[in-house]
Amino acid sequence: MRVIVVGAGEVGTHVAQLLSREGSDVIVIERSAARIAELDKLLDVSIVHGNATDPEVMQAAGIGETDLLVAATSSDEVNLVASLIAKLEGVERRVVRLERPGLRGSRAARLHEAVGADLVIDPDDAVAREVLDLLAYPGAIEIARLADNEVLMIGAKLDAGAPFVGQTLSEIGARYSPNWDFIVCTITRDGRTIVPRKDHELLAGDNVRVVCKTRARADVMRQLGLGSGEAHRIMVLGGGRTGEILARALVAKGHVVTIIDRSEERARELADELDGVLVLLGDITDASLLEEEDVGSYDAVIALTGEDDANILACLFAKKAGAKETIAVLHRLELRHLLRDAGVDVTISPRTASANEVLRTLRGGVTAVATSLDDDIEIYEVEVGLGSAANGKKISDLGLAHDTLIAAIVRDGKPRIGRGDSELQALDHVVFVAHGKDVDQLSRLFTGS
Amino acid sequence: MTRTAAAETFSDNSGNTVKPIGVYGSSVGFASALSAVMLTISSAFAIGDDTREFIVLVVVAVVCGLTGAALLRRPFSPSALRPVPTMTAAVCGFILVAAISTIVYLATGAIERVDDALYESVAGVSTSALTIFEDPSSLGDGVLVWRSATQWLGGVGAVILAVGLLPFLGGSRELAGGPQRRERTRDALSTRPLPAIRRVGAIYCVVTAVVTVALVVAGMGVLDAVAHALSTVSTGGFSTHADSIGYFDSVAIEAVLVVAMLGAGSSVAFAWLLWRRNIRETRRAFELQVYLAVVAVSSLWIWWLRHDSDIGVSQGFREAAFTVVSVMTTTGHRISDWGSWHPGASTLLLVLLVVGGTAGSVSGGLRWIRVIGMAQFVWRELQRQLHPRSVRTVKVGRSTISEDSVDRMHAQMVYVMTLGAVASLVLGLFGEGLTEAITLTISAISTMGPGFGDAGGVVSAADLTRPERAVLMPVMLTGRVFLYPAFLSVGAGASALCAAMRSIGVRR
């Protein structure tokens, strides 16, 4: 498959990386020469220097033979024009990043049709939604909703006190047999991620991902040693677009929200736009401000500024002061696993959520994708095709590799946890866990195309 | 008509250069022309009733009409629309109508003394109901209609000032009333003064005609209907009978008047939006919602306070609702003697009177938008004690009020308090009781008129001495032009006077 990614910003770069890792032929169009020099060291892709609104640049990138265009610059206008050019050149699918509210949603459906935008992504909005999900499951470090919200993937770090700790998977399984509500999909220990087998034991300090039926989530949360009770008072650090979207959504859900921004003009705008939110003017790393506002009394503190160090420092301070949960947005990811022990509970990146949506569009028949920054394990949801090889077979007969797992099967809206003797039928939704490199082959197995 | 930008000159059809009129000319022109129309209507009622009245009204109408026509024929130069001269010109317009009216009262023999005639005229143009006539029905028909018409003219002036001029003259557009919208550049009526004034005038005339017809249908005679329609849509409150609306004792008439007064107390922009069938926009108007809610709650509250008196339940509610609306819109129509009600009721009425109607309406007072804004302001100050670095904007409904406008709100409060304090002080010096002095002043600033007596009952002008009336005259007029234009005009007049004295060689 041939993919053009326009704009090598955070999202564009990550998408390009993900796709090239999976074997796609990726061409990146970037305007800044300085950025291209950086990319050369980072990515194994071809790079075209120029502006994507210029048809000649697009030709140089080989727009004619391309299957997918991802327009991910920070400018809505450039993305729209790039998509339009791609449509005219016969590119099959187009993903467009749009940020202005008026250009998104059903109101702009005609515009999307005109420029041929199959999928509209917005990293800021995606981050806000990710934070909202995480807040709904306090203590979890990863959340993915699958199969129309019937199946849930919860990622968490096991504390010594968690009921699961010290048990092997078969011991845990035996207690719940035969009505399994969940399955442990991956264990990450000492930086290595594996898909576990029955005799693996869970230890304190492990990062685990569990796929469960959504209605059994309370029990699974308990077994993982995670908190119950949703956060009520929330402090949002950084009043950028993400912060604004998040604060608005939280207020609408009845939370008490405080938001801090250091620009007076922006603070005023936020006070204008957000009813019922306490807007504070100040720097988020100003300890006296955080103390004055008693940051420790908040249930959750979320740092969303564009500066990683400020986000980290503010979260560390809040955690020390007593805030229950801290979430930081990080743009550079090298040191993120160190932070969890220091006091930043969750780190999220603007790039993943959008990348998941792009991957979903890339593969027909795939309805949901969850990828991780820590490893190359991906969680997919696909529909079993009528003519596929998997139709009518038991899971144990599929001959799957040992590091591939069918976690759940959803039939007629009812989820079941995957076992060796579970039989697959056409139109079932299958949630599977696999390495990125195997995903293409697997989805062909299930969809039959 | 061509116009050269540099010289500001105009040419008529035959090519002669015509000097354009400025704000003073057009103010005098409009005042004369509108007075002429009203005098003509009044004179129609004098036919067959009183020949002297008829002749006086016609003569004054002709003089006014000619003056108005002569002035308004000349083109208006809009570049002259600068704040201080425009406000001074508007105040002159009010004074001119009062002068015309004084002449009418004296020439028809309705009032004998010049100071009494002037007082009644000023009360008229400032839409106050504080009349010197104990029984107006003894007056001739033509004068009766003219008396109400002076209030109508005052109302036109006030609403043009409120919606058409002040918002464009460095005032606060957010405070001009109408539905509050987030996009501040798009006003409900117009973004330019002249079309706004034209629309406001048209709305006002149409509403007056509709109310007249409704009153006739409700059972009033034509004379009473015209007189009451004129004095109601302007929130004036002059009646043709000593007992005001209580004379008719008719639920239908009271209902029509309540609706008319409520309408007069809400911004003309709402009428404009209703006309354009923009109901959705009207529903978003937060100030209007607050205003109507206060009317409802106050009526129930006062009705409940008086529920154990010997009047019936329905009569009690009629009186409560009518009085609340009449006082809150600063109209001053009466169906019963509210001054002697339960102290809780009359105190509430006094508070409602201070606030008045909504911004952009004919009613006087502070207006609800300022109360809402000030409440937000106070809340913000309290919150700053808790969160010293919080940022918060003052909002009315969903729209934000700029910090400049918040400052102007403060200033307006201070104007009202200062004027009220000084006027009460002077009335006290003249021997009025504490209650009378304060209530009369508030009533005059809010352009209602009557005050509440200490011993119960409503204080009318007949109870006041001539010096006291002389004190109330400028207060009423200042209240009618929303205070600061009056202060600016006095300042402008004083400086003009000083300049004139210097030019004739008078030195300090």
Side-chain angles (χ1 to χ4, degrees):
Chain A
M1 171 153 352
R2 212 182 137 85
V3 182
I4 293 183
V5 175
V6 178
E10 195 171 349
V11 175
T13 310
H14 185 63
V15 167
Q17 205 167 15
L18 217 55
L19 293 177
S20 77
R21 199 164 68 192
E22 290 183 2
S24 293
D25 191 4
V26 180
I27 298 106
V28 173
I29 300 180
E30 169 61 40
R31 206 176 43 173
S32 144
R35 179 69 185 155
I36 288 175
E38 284 171 32
L39 284 182
D40 260 340
K41 292 175 217 145
L42 219 67
L43 291 181
D44 185 21
V45 299
S46 7
I47 300 170
V48 174
H49 183 203
N51 191 324
T53 56
D54 182 350
E56 277 178 27
V57 172
M58 290 290 241
Q59 290 298 343
I63 187 86
E65 307 90 59
T66 302
D67 305 299
L68 172 72
L69 174 102
V70 180
T73 71
S74 56
S75 152
D76 289 353
E77 292 82 357
V78 169
N79 296 340
L80 284 172
V81 172
S83 171
L84 187 59
I85 295 174
K87 184 189 176 192
L88 297 176
E89 292 291 341
V91 174
E92 208 176 307
R93 286 192 293 268
R94 293 147 304 251
V95 176
V96 183
R97 171 179 174 177
L98 292 176
E99 296 189 342
R100 223 163 297 140
L103 291 177
R104 300 167 48 75
S106 51
R107 275 178 302 169
R110 284 179 58 208
L111 178 79
H112 298 163
E113 205 186 314
V115 300
D118 297 309
L119 175 71
V120 175
I121 59 170
D122 177 2
D124 294 339
D125 192 65
V127 167
R129 269 185 286 134
E130 204 176 328
V131 173
L132 285 173
D133 273 347
L134 287 167
L135 286 174
Y137 297 92
I141 56 177
E142 256 183 290
I143 290 291
R145 302 164 187 273
L146 301 153
D148 269 345
N149 217 5
E150 287 293 336
V151 176
L152 197 66
M153 191 275 287
I154 304 175
K157 180 176 178 159
L158 292 178
D159 282 330
F164 274 174
V165 170
Q167 302 189 43
T168 63
L169 297 188
S170 56
E171 279 168 6
I172 295 171
R175 265 198 291 138
Y176 286 87
S177 172
N179 296 314
W180 298 280
D181 283 335
F182 62 87
I183 186 167
V184 179
C185 298
T186 67
I187 301 176
T188 308
R189 190 179 296 164
D190 304 327
R192 276 188 56 234
T193 301
I194 54 162
V195 176
R197 273 174 292 185
K198 280 188 173 164
D199 51 349
H200 273 106
E201 189 184 345
L202 296 175
L203 299 177
D206 283 355
N207 272 327
V208 294
R209 289 199 194 94
V210 176
V211 166
C212 69
K213 300 178 185 172
T214 302
R215 58 184 163 76
R217 62 187 184 273
D219 184 45
V220 173
M221 295 276 288
R222 208 163 31 243
Q223 297 298 331
L224 290 169
L226 303 180
S228 50
E230 217 175 316
H232 182 56
R233 300 181 67 233
I234 294 166
M235 182 178 268
V236 178
L237 306 176
R241 249 189 98 236
T242 315
E244 189 185 334
I245 296 169
L246 182 64
R248 182 171 286 133
L250 286 171
V251 166
K253 284 171 72 186
H255 293 276
V256 175
V257 184
T258 301
I259 191 166
I260 302 185
D261 198 272
R262 68 175 164 199
S263 142
E264 184 162 0
E265 195 188 345
R266 180 62 185 158
R268 216 156 258 297
E269 252 173 60
L270 289 169
D272 250 14
E273 288 291 322
L274 301 170
D275 286 328
V277 173
L278 175 63
V279 182
L280 302 173
L281 174 66
D283 199 296
I284 68 160
T285 52
D286 177 357
S288 71
L289 171 65
L290 295 178
E291 246 163 29
E292 192 174 281
E293 293 298 333
D294 198 7
V295 69
S297 70
Y298 282 82
D299 298 324
V301 175
I302 301 149
L304 301 165
T305 67
E307 292 159 29
D308 286 0
D309 21 6
N311 290 347
I312 294 168
L313 282 174
C315 277
L316 292 181
F317 187 89
K319 196 70 185 178
K320 269 276 185 300
K324 286 207 194 84
E325 187 170 13
T326 56
I327 300 176
V329 161
L330 291 190
H331 304 266
R332 288 195 319 266
L333 300 160
E334 296 80 20
L335 299 173
R336 61 195 295 269
H337 52 275
L338 293 178
L339 293 171
R340 214 160 280 158
D341 302 318
V344 182
D345 294 321
V346 188
T347 51
I348 52 181
S349 152
R351 61 185 78 163
T352 22
S354 303
N356 290 344
E357 290 189 79
V358 175
L359 286 184
R360 185 156 65 88
T361 317
L362 193 65
R363 302 198 170 87
V366 172
T367 33
V369 183
T371 56
S372 161
L373 291 164
D374 289 328
D375 44 56
D376 73 332
I377 296 275
E378 297 180 4
I379 298 182
Y380 270 80
E381 179 195 338
V382 295
E383 192 179 273
V384 177
L386 275 170
S388 73
N391 188 3
K393 279 204 181 132
K394 286 185 176 168
I395 291 179
S396 51
D397 297 341
L398 289 173
L400 299 175
H402 68 92
D403 54 359
T404 301
L405 178 74
I406 295 191
I409 302 155
V410 183
R411 187 174 299 161
D412 299 331
K414 285 199 194 72
R416 284 179 306 136
I417 298 302
R419 309 293 299 177
D421 54 358
S422 308
E423 201 180 278
L424 298 176
Q425 284 179 14
L427 303 182
D428 280 358
H429 278 233
V430 172
V431 175
F432 69 85
V433 182
H435 286 281
K437 60 179 169 34
D438 301 331
V439 165
D440 247 355
Q441 190 196 340
L442 280 165
S443 45
R444 267 199 296 279
L445 171 69
F446 291 117
T447 57
S449 58
Chain B
M1 194 159 66
T2 56
R3 184 183 138 196
T4 55
E8 274 292 338
T9 54
F10 296 78
S11 307
D12 63 10
N13 292 335
S14 45
N16 300 322
T17 306
V18 184
K19 195 168 171 278
I21 52 167
V23 281
Y24 289 99
S26 59
S27 167
V28 170
F30 267 116
S32 314
L34 285 173
S35 300
V37 173
M38 281 299 143
L39 285 162
T40 314
I41 292 173
S42 310
S43 69
F45 285 91
I47 297 172
D49 181 61
D50 188 330
T51 322
R52 178 178 167 194
E53 256 180 31
F54 175 72
I55 293 166
V56 169
L57 287 168
V58 167
V59 169
V60 181
V62 169
V63 173
C64 288
L66 290 176
T67 318
L71 284 166
L72 293 183
R73 259 184 63 227
R74 281 160 52 188
F76 175 66
S77 105
S79 65
L81 216 54
R82 277 176 294 118
V84 174
T86 311
M87 286 181 201
T88 314
V91 174
C92 288
F94 279 92
I95 292 171
L96 177 68
V97 175
I100 294 169
S101 176
T102 308
I103 292 167
V104 169
Y105 287 140
L106 290 173
T108 55
I111 303 174
E112 278 158 21
R113 288 179 57 119
V114 182
D115 50 354
D116 289 352
L118 183 64
Y119 171 80
E120 184 74 6
S121 306
V122 170
V125 293
S126 58
T127 71
S128 300
L130 198 59
T131 175
I132 57 165
F133 294 111
E134 298 220 35
D135 184 12
S137 55
S138 61
L139 291 169
D141 292 352
V143 171
L144 265 185
V145 173
W146 168 247
R147 186 165 152 269
S148 290
T150 55
Q151 296 201 317
W152 189 87
L153 292 167
V156 166
V159 79
I160 286 177
L161 204 54
V163 182
L165 291 176
L166 296 186
F168 300 99
L169 299 176
S172 306
R173 280 201 196 186
E174 298 106 307
L175 301 185
Q180 282 77 48
R181 342 187 22 156
R182 300 208 119 181
E183 312 89 73
R184 285 179 207 135
T185 46
R186 286 166 62 199
D187 279 36
L189 276 159
S190 177
T191 49
R192 285 180 305 128
L194 291 179
I197 290 173
R198 240 175 268 135
R199 281 178 187 159
V200 166
I203 291 168
Y204 202 67
C205 293
V206 170
V207 170
T208 311
V210 170
V211 172
T212 311
V213 172
L215 284 174
V216 171
V217 171
M220 258 192 197
V222 174
L223 170 76
D224 285 343
V226 170
H228 282 103
L230 290 173
S231 70
T232 302
V233 298
S234 57
T235 72
F238 276 167
S239 178
T240 52
H241 298 279
D243 291 333
S244 187
I245 310 302
Y247 168 88
F248 299 99
D249 193 23
S250 149
V251 181
I253 288 174
E254 283 163 26
V256 169
L257 287 175
V258 163
V259 173
M261 287 190 287
L262 275 178
S266 15
S267 169
V268 278
F270 298 134
W272 174 246
L273 287 175
L274 284 176
W275 177 256
R276 300 282 299 264
R277 313 244 164 93
N278 199 342
I279 312 286
R280 210 170 59 97
E281 201 59 36
T282 317
R283 275 216 307 254
R284 270 174 46 191
F286 184 67
E287 191 194 9
L288 186 69
Q289 290 164 4
V290 170
Y291 161 75
L292 293 176
V294 171
V295 168
V297 171
S298 309
S299 304
L300 288 172
W301 174 244
I302 288 180
W303 168 71
W304 182 79
L305 274 178
R306 302 179 63 229
H307 73 287
D308 52 355
S309 62
D310 49 1
I311 52 162
V313 171
S314 62
Q315 177 68 17
F317 190 76
R318 247 172 85 184
E319 288 184 6
F322 188 91
T323 307
V324 163
V325 171
S326 171
V327 170
M328 200 163 142
T329 59
T330 72
T331 308
H333 284 318
R334 303 189 310 276
I335 58 171
S336 69
D337 187 9
W338 69 70
S340 57
W341 286 0
H342 188 288
S346 33
T347 315
L348 175 62
L349 288 173
L350 188 66
V351 173
L352 295 181
L353 180 58
V354 173
V355 181
T358 73
S361 74
V362 205
S363 77
L366 275 175
R367 278 95 200 296
W368 283 98
I369 198 167
R370 290 204 181 85
V371 173
I372 299 164
M374 293 315 288
Q376 293 253 334
F377 174 79
V378 169
W379 175 245
R380 176 169 80 176
E381 287 306 302
L382 282 177
Q383 206 187 33
R384 262 196 201 148
Q385 303 293 320
L386 275 173
H387 306 284
R389 300 195 224 181
S390 64
V391 177
R392 199 185 162 93
T393 49
V394 174
K395 286 180 193 171
V396 172
R398 287 174 57 209
S399 69
T400 301
I401 295 197
S402 69
E403 294 304 307
D404 283 356
S405 299
V406 174
D407 289 350
R408 276 185 213 113
M409 282 185 178
H410 287 116
Q412 189 74 5
M413 303 282 261
V414 175
Y415 297 154
V416 168
M417 285 193 288
T418 313
L419 183 64
V422 171
S424 317
L425 205 63
V426 177
L427 285 180
L429 280 177
F430 283 136
E432 279 298 330
L434 180 66
T435 317
E436 285 87 347
I438 291 174
T439 56
L440 273 170
T441 310
I442 290 176
S443 196
I445 295 175
S446 292
T447 76
M448 181 175 82
F452 313 150
D454 210 9
V458 173
V459 179
S460 70
D463 307 328
L464 300 172
T465 61
R466 292 207 165 83
E468 283 169 349
R469 289 184 205 155
V471 173
L472 285 178
M473 268 197 278
V475 177
M476 289 191 291
L477 209 51
T478 308
R480 177 65 289 173
V481 296
F482 311 109
L483 289 92
Y484 69 94
F487 301 151
L488 289 176
S489 325
V490 170
S495 67
L497 192 67
C498 284
M501 282 169 72
R502 265 198 303 279
S503 71
I504 59 169
V506 180
R507 297 205 186 277
R508 278 194 199 162

